[in-house]
Amino acid sequence: MKTVLIVEDDLINARVFSKILTKRGGLAVQHTENVDEVMQIAQERGADIILMDVSLSRSMYQGKSVDGIKITQILKSDPNTADLPIILVTAHAMEGDRENFLKQSGADGYISKPVVDHQAFVDYVLNLLPKTED
């Protein structure tokens, strides 16, 4: 079973994403906003794809405040985790934000909150999952 790591500081959003992905997508889900945990899970390949909140108001890494863009940059610049698909998730959905965030972070996808079309959300995540034989 494929695993989605949800990196989200809003517990309600995390629960909603989790429920949609498990019920409709048949995916396993983990959730954390702890950046050290995110890095460890990514390094150990404990997830097949990451849903990364862009804002992450309380996240710290190596003594510095970081957001989802920075965490994504770190993961994408590490040869051990560069191929791990990351989808940015954000409420910042102004004109140009999508392209800007993707270019800045190196992420593989972008979804704006709130997620209205649950099936389209699941399909988007499933399409970005690495195609491997289980």
mmCIF file of all heavy atoms in Angstrom, residues 45-65:
data_model
loop_
_atom_site.group_PDB
_atom_site.id
_atom_site.type_symbol
_atom_site.label_atom_id
_atom_site.label_comp_id
_atom_site.label_asym_id
_atom_site.label_seq_id
_atom_site.Cartn_x
_atom_site.Cartn_y
_atom_site.Cartn_z
ATOM 1 N N ARG A 45 12.500 6.531 3.335
ATOM 2 C CA ARG A 45 11.490 6.132 2.347
ATOM 3 C C ARG A 45 10.232 5.582 3.019
ATOM 4 O O ARG A 45 9.625 4.618 2.536
ATOM 5 C CB ARG A 45 12.044 5.104 1.368
ATOM 6 C CG ARG A 45 13.123 5.663 0.480
ATOM 7 C CD ARG A 45 12.566 6.814 -0.289
ATOM 8 N NE ARG A 45 13.434 7.155 -1.420
ATOM 9 C CZ ARG A 45 13.200 8.174 -2.210
ATOM 10 N NH1 ARG A 45 12.165 8.930 -2.029
ATOM 11 N NH2 ARG A 45 14.010 8.440 -3.194
ATOM 12 N N GLY A 46 9.845 6.229 4.108
ATOM 13 C CA GLY A 46 8.637 5.832 4.823
ATOM 14 C C GLY A 46 7.370 6.359 4.184
ATOM 15 O O GLY A 46 6.272 6.066 4.640
ATOM 16 N N ALA A 47 7.526 7.157 3.120
ATOM 17 C CA ALA A 47 6.367 7.673 2.383
ATOM 18 C C ALA A 47 6.685 7.614 0.897
ATOM 19 O O ALA A 47 7.843 7.708 0.496
ATOM 20 C CB ALA A 47 6.068 9.111 2.797
ATOM 21 N N ASP A 48 5.638 7.471 0.088
ATOM 22 C CA ASP A 48 5.797 7.421 -1.364
ATOM 23 C C ASP A 48 5.581 8.782 -2.005
ATOM 24 O O ASP A 48 5.976 9.017 -3.142
ATOM 25 C CB ASP A 48 4.805 6.416 -1.959
ATOM 26 C CG ASP A 48 5.050 5.019 -1.425
ATOM 27 O OD1 ASP A 48 6.088 4.438 -1.795
ATOM 28 O OD2 ASP A 48 4.243 4.534 -0.617
ATOM 29 N N ILE A 49 4.908 9.668 -1.256
ATOM 30 C CA ILE A 49 4.608 11.012 -1.748
ATOM 31 C C ILE A 49 4.348 11.898 -0.525
ATOM 32 O O ILE A 49 3.908 11.402 0.520
ATOM 33 C CB ILE A 49 3.392 10.988 -2.715
ATOM 34 C CG1 ILE A 49 3.242 12.298 -3.479
ATOM 35 C CG2 ILE A 49 2.112 10.617 -1.981
ATOM 36 C CD1 ILE A 49 2.283 12.194 -4.682
ATOM 37 N N ILE A 50 4.631 13.195 -0.666
ATOM 38 C CA ILE A 50 4.422 14.128 0.440
ATOM 39 C C ILE A 50 3.462 15.227 0.002
ATOM 40 O O ILE A 50 3.613 15.807 -1.074
ATOM 41 C CB ILE A 50 5.759 14.774 0.886
ATOM 42 C CG1 ILE A 50 6.721 13.706 1.403
ATOM 43 C CG2 ILE A 50 5.520 15.851 1.944
ATOM 44 C CD1 ILE A 50 8.107 14.225 1.758
ATOM 45 N N LEU A 51 2.467 15.492 0.854
ATOM 46 C CA LEU A 51 1.605 16.671 0.696
ATOM 47 C C LEU A 51 2.162 17.714 1.650
ATOM 48 O O LEU A 51 2.134 17.514 2.859
ATOM 49 C CB LEU A 51 0.159 16.359 1.090
ATOM 50 C CG LEU A 51 -0.717 15.595 0.128
ATOM 51 C CD1 LEU A 51 -2.137 15.501 0.681
ATOM 52 C CD2 LEU A 51 -0.748 16.236 -1.245
ATOM 53 N N MET A 52 2.672 18.811 1.137
ATOM 54 C CA MET A 52 3.401 19.794 1.932
ATOM 55 C C MET A 52 2.637 21.121 2.011
ATOM 56 O O MET A 52 2.478 21.802 1.007
ATOM 57 C CB MET A 52 4.779 20.031 1.281
ATOM 58 C CG MET A 52 5.661 21.034 1.969
ATOM 59 S SD MET A 52 6.399 20.409 3.475
ATOM 60 C CE MET A 52 7.504 19.147 2.827
ATOM 61 N N ASP A 53 2.204 21.463 3.212
ATOM 62 C CA ASP A 53 1.587 22.768 3.419
ATOM 63 C C ASP A 53 2.657 23.832 3.197
ATOM 64 O O ASP A 53 3.783 23.701 3.688
ATOM 65 C CB ASP A 53 1.030 22.854 4.848
ATOM 66 C CG ASP A 53 0.333 24.174 5.146
ATOM 67 O OD1 ASP A 53 -0.112 24.850 4.198
ATOM 68 O OD2 ASP A 53 0.233 24.532 6.326
ATOM 69 N N VAL A 54 2.335 24.882 2.473
ATOM 70 C CA VAL A 54 3.315 25.925 2.182
ATOM 71 C C VAL A 54 3.610 26.770 3.425
ATOM 72 O O VAL A 54 4.752 27.111 3.690
ATOM 73 C CB VAL A 54 2.829 26.820 1.009
ATOM 74 C CG1 VAL A 54 3.673 28.076 0.877
ATOM 75 C CG2 VAL A 54 2.852 26.020 -0.293
ATOM 76 N N SER A 55 2.594 27.065 4.221
ATOM 77 C CA SER A 55 2.757 28.032 5.312
ATOM 78 C C SER A 55 3.499 27.511 6.543
ATOM 79 O O SER A 55 4.494 28.089 6.963
ATOM 80 C CB SER A 55 1.402 28.588 5.727
ATOM 81 O OG SER A 55 0.816 29.233 4.619
ATOM 82 N N LEU A 56 3.032 26.439 7.154
ATOM 83 C CA LEU A 56 3.683 25.848 8.326
ATOM 84 C C LEU A 56 4.196 26.897 9.320
ATOM 85 O O LEU A 56 5.391 27.120 9.453
ATOM 86 C CB LEU A 56 4.841 24.937 7.900
ATOM 87 C CG LEU A 56 4.456 23.690 7.108
ATOM 88 C CD1 LEU A 56 5.709 22.955 6.652
ATOM 89 C CD2 LEU A 56 3.561 22.768 7.900
ATOM 90 N N SER A 57 3.278 27.496 10.039
ATOM 91 C CA SER A 57 3.607 28.644 10.894
ATOM 92 C C SER A 57 4.557 28.354 12.044
ATOM 93 O O SER A 57 5.288 29.232 12.475
ATOM 94 C CB SER A 57 2.316 29.257 11.429
ATOM 95 O OG SER A 57 1.550 28.273 12.095
ATOM 96 N N ARG A 58 4.584 27.127 12.557
ATOM 97 C CA ARG A 58 5.385 26.847 13.757
ATOM 98 C C ARG A 58 6.589 25.953 13.500
ATOM 99 O O ARG A 58 7.204 25.468 14.439
ATOM 100 C CB ARG A 58 4.496 26.180 14.812
ATOM 101 C CG ARG A 58 3.316 27.020 15.236
ATOM 102 C CD ARG A 58 2.459 26.312 16.261
ATOM 103 N NE ARG A 58 1.811 25.121 15.763
ATOM 104 C CZ ARG A 58 0.650 25.087 15.134
ATOM 105 N NH1 ARG A 58 0.000 26.205 14.918
ATOM 106 N NH2 ARG A 58 0.123 23.955 14.728
ATOM 107 N N SER A 59 6.943 25.703 12.268
ATOM 108 C CA SER A 59 7.975 24.707 11.977
ATOM 109 C C SER A 59 9.392 25.255 12.090
ATOM 110 O O SER A 59 9.691 26.339 11.606
ATOM 111 C CB SER A 59 7.761 24.125 10.584
ATOM 112 O OG SER A 59 6.572 23.371 10.580
ATOM 113 N N MET A 60 10.235 24.445 12.736
ATOM 114 C CA MET A 60 11.645 24.787 12.919
ATOM 115 C C MET A 60 12.496 23.629 12.402
ATOM 116 O O MET A 60 12.126 22.474 12.535
ATOM 117 C CB MET A 60 11.965 24.997 14.407
ATOM 118 C CG MET A 60 11.166 26.088 15.091
ATOM 119 S SD MET A 60 11.626 27.734 14.546
ATOM 120 C CE MET A 60 13.222 27.908 15.306
ATOM 121 N N TYR A 61 13.650 23.971 11.818
ATOM 122 C CA TYR A 61 14.601 22.949 11.386
ATOM 123 C C TYR A 61 16.007 23.490 11.594
ATOM 124 O O TYR A 61 16.334 24.571 11.117
ATOM 125 C CB TYR A 61 14.376 22.586 9.919
ATOM 126 C CG TYR A 61 15.244 21.455 9.439
ATOM 127 C CD1 TYR A 61 15.160 20.192 10.039
ATOM 128 C CD2 TYR A 61 16.155 21.636 8.410
ATOM 129 C CE1 TYR A 61 15.962 19.145 9.599
ATOM 130 C CE2 TYR A 61 16.954 20.586 7.969
ATOM 131 C CZ TYR A 61 16.848 19.348 8.579
ATOM 132 O OH TYR A 61 17.641 18.301 8.148
ATOM 133 N N GLN A 62 16.798 22.728 12.335
ATOM 134 C CA GLN A 62 18.170 23.110 12.663
ATOM 135 C C GLN A 62 18.219 24.530 13.236
ATOM 136 O O GLN A 62 19.065 25.335 12.862
ATOM 137 C CB GLN A 62 19.071 22.969 11.433
ATOM 138 C CG GLN A 62 19.155 21.529 10.958
ATOM 139 C CD GLN A 62 19.985 21.351 9.706
ATOM 140 O OE1 GLN A 62 20.181 22.274 8.931
ATOM 141 N NE2 GLN A 62 20.465 20.137 9.504
ATOM 142 N N GLY A 63 17.256 24.819 14.123
ATOM 143 C CA GLY A 63 17.230 26.097 14.830
ATOM 144 C C GLY A 63 16.654 27.263 14.054
ATOM 145 O O GLY A 63 16.595 28.385 14.549
ATOM 146 N N LYS A 64 16.210 27.012 12.819
ATOM 147 C CA LYS A 64 15.659 28.101 11.998
ATOM 148 C C LYS A 64 14.190 27.833 11.687
ATOM 149 O O LYS A 64 13.781 26.695 11.521
ATOM 150 C CB LYS A 64 16.432 28.216 10.687
ATOM 151 C CG LYS A 64 17.884 28.604 10.848
ATOM 152 C CD LYS A 64 18.509 28.818 9.470
ATOM 153 C CE LYS A 64 19.987 29.096 9.584
ATOM 154 N NZ LYS A 64 20.804 27.882 9.477
ATOM 155 N N SER A 65 13.440 28.905 11.567
ATOM 156 C CA SER A 65 12.047 28.813 11.156
ATOM 157 C C SER A 65 12.012 28.475 9.663
ATOM 158 O O SER A 65 12.714 29.100 8.865
ATOM 159 C CB SER A 65 11.356 30.152 11.419
ATOM 160 O OG SER A 65 10.012 30.069 11.060
#
